Amino acid sequence: MTIARLAGGGRRSTRRSPRAVVVAAFLGPALLLYGLIFLYPVAAAMTNGFFDWTGTARREFVGLANFATLMGLEPYASQFFRAVTNNLVFFIGTMVVQNGVGLVLAFLLNNNLRGKRFFQTVISVPYLMSALVIGYAWSMLLSPRFGAVNALLGLFGVEPIAWLGTPALVMPLLILINAWQWIGVTMLIFGAGLVAIPAEQIEAARVDGASSFRVAWSIQLPQLISSVSIVTILTLIGCFNLFDLVFAIGGSAGGVGGAADVMGTLFYRLSFSNSPNAFGLSGAFSLVQLVLILVATIGAQRLFRRLERRYS
């Protein structure tokens, strides 16, 4: 019996080995390509910040010197904290405008309204376009000389406004333009969450005399925690990786006086600056940006997990 079992076990291991070879043959090239295209550049960029560079030639190991330069030496320090602050303001504004309006639209379109599919399609179309295209298009629409927005306001006697030339207006306009592009995604995610709520709960609440607002506040919103979590994390990652829209509207400087200068544009300037240590500074900045996003994302995940356990 022992010899038979050993023989049988050997046959099973022999039969499994070709499967492992097949799996490795299919996954190996993909993993190798993924490592060469993504993992290796990320690892290289993370280590660049710990070395001193002269052009593309790596010099000696300097530890945290590049990080100290970014956060303690002018003009890098003021630009760094301004960029982080602008990213935070952009995130808060996007959460309020984009996700708030998207939630309201999801509730409105959750009912069997006439033309529901049409409105969902129209609202969702902008996110299919490139942010660069949208940025350049809105730059032309907001032009003080030939822009359609000023032309329309001129019909009511309003003088031309330098929308993108006024520092106080640049960030709010970016938030609104970004919300116009991505509000359809938010609406669809919240809409999917509303559809997943059992209809029996809503019908029972209405039979008990609950108003539409009470149903939304006490039944639907608590069960949308998972959808809110997804939207918040996606918004957080997208806002702290913001670059293309700001670059299209305000250039690499982030608009007039750096009013919309974000971490993406600052990283661009550090990477292509005239400093001989551009690789070191940009590598250090990319690592700081990665850490900020990871910490914020993990914190948001833990917060929403607690909320899900509380309302589940």
Side-chain angles (χ1 to χ4, degrees):
M1 291 294 293
T2 306
I3 297 175
R5 288 179 181 176
L6 290 175
R11 284 196 298 271
R12 282 195 296 270
S13 62
T14 304
R15 291 173 183 174
R16 289 178 181 176
S17 59
R19 294 183 181 179
V21 173
V22 172
V23 171
F26 278 97
L27 293 182
L31 292 176
L32 178 62
L33 188 63
Y34 178 77
L36 291 175
I37 294 178
F38 180 75
L39 295 180
Y40 174 73
V42 169
M46 291 175 64
T47 58
N48 286 345
F50 297 98
F51 292 87
D52 185 41
W53 293 75
T54 302
T56 58
R58 191 171 74 175
R59 302 303 181 186
E60 69 274 6
F61 178 80
V62 294
L64 300 178
N66 290 324
F67 299 90
T69 299
L70 280 176
M71 293 182 240
L73 184 65
E74 294 296 339
Y76 303 112
S78 59
Q79 294 178 5
F80 173 80
F81 290 106
R82 181 182 64 187
V84 173
T85 302
N86 285 338
N87 273 109
L88 183 60
V89 171
F90 189 87
F91 168 71
I92 296 173
T94 301
M95 286 294 297
V96 173
V97 178
Q98 173 185 301
N99 299 340
V101 176
L103 180 62
V104 173
L105 290 175
F107 271 104
L108 293 176
L109 296 178
N110 186 48
N111 300 319
N112 294 323
L113 298 177
R114 187 175 182 180
K116 173 182 176 179
R117 298 300 180 189
F118 171 77
F119 288 112
Q120 286 179 334
T121 303
V122 170
I123 296 172
S124 302
V125 163
Y127 85 87
L128 299 175
M129 295 183 288
S130 168
L132 282 172
V133 174
I134 289 178
Y136 287 128
W138 277 100
S139 296
M140 291 186 289
L141 290 173
L142 296 172
S143 173
R145 293 181 297 175
F146 54 81
V149 175
N150 277 327
L152 181 62
L153 293 176
L155 298 177
F156 300 95
V158 179
E159 295 293 328
I161 301 174
W163 297 100
L164 301 179
T166 306
L169 296 178
V170 177
M171 182 59 71
L173 287 173
L174 281 172
I175 293 173
L176 291 175
I177 294 172
N178 184 75
W180 174 81
Q181 180 184 8
W182 293 102
I183 199 171
V185 178
T186 302
M187 177 192 67
L188 293 177
I189 294 176
F190 285 138
L194 289 172
V195 171
I197 297 175
E200 294 80 6
Q201 297 182 9
I202 299 175
E203 292 175 0
R206 288 176 176 170
V207 169
D208 291 339
S211 63
S212 298
F213 176 80
R214 188 65 179 176
V215 169
W217 182 261
S218 300
I219 297 178
Q220 292 175 306
L221 277 179
Q223 299 189 58
L224 285 179
I225 297 297
S226 58
S227 299
V228 175
S229 173
I230 294 172
V231 169
T232 301
I233 292 174
L234 290 177
T235 303
L236 179 66
I237 295 174
C239 289
F240 278 84
N241 281 314
L242 180 67
F243 171 75
D244 40 11
L245 183 62
V246 177
F247 183 80
I249 290 180
S252 61
V256 179
D261 190 19
V262 293
M263 289 191 288
T265 52
L266 178 56
F267 175 75
Y268 178 88
R269 293 199 307 274
L270 289 173
S271 301
F272 297 99
S273 65
N274 294 325
S275 172
N277 192 29
F279 270 33
L281 292 176
S282 61
F285 184 82
S286 65
L287 183 56
V288 172
Q289 184 177 5
L290 176 63
V291 171
L292 288 175
I293 294 175
L294 282 177
V295 170
T297 303
I298 293 173
Q301 286 180 334
R302 290 184 176 180
L303 172 63
F304 283 107
R305 283 175 185 172
R306 291 180 182 176
L307 292 175
E308 287 179 8
R309 288 195 296 266
R310 179 179 179 182
Y311 292 102
S312 61

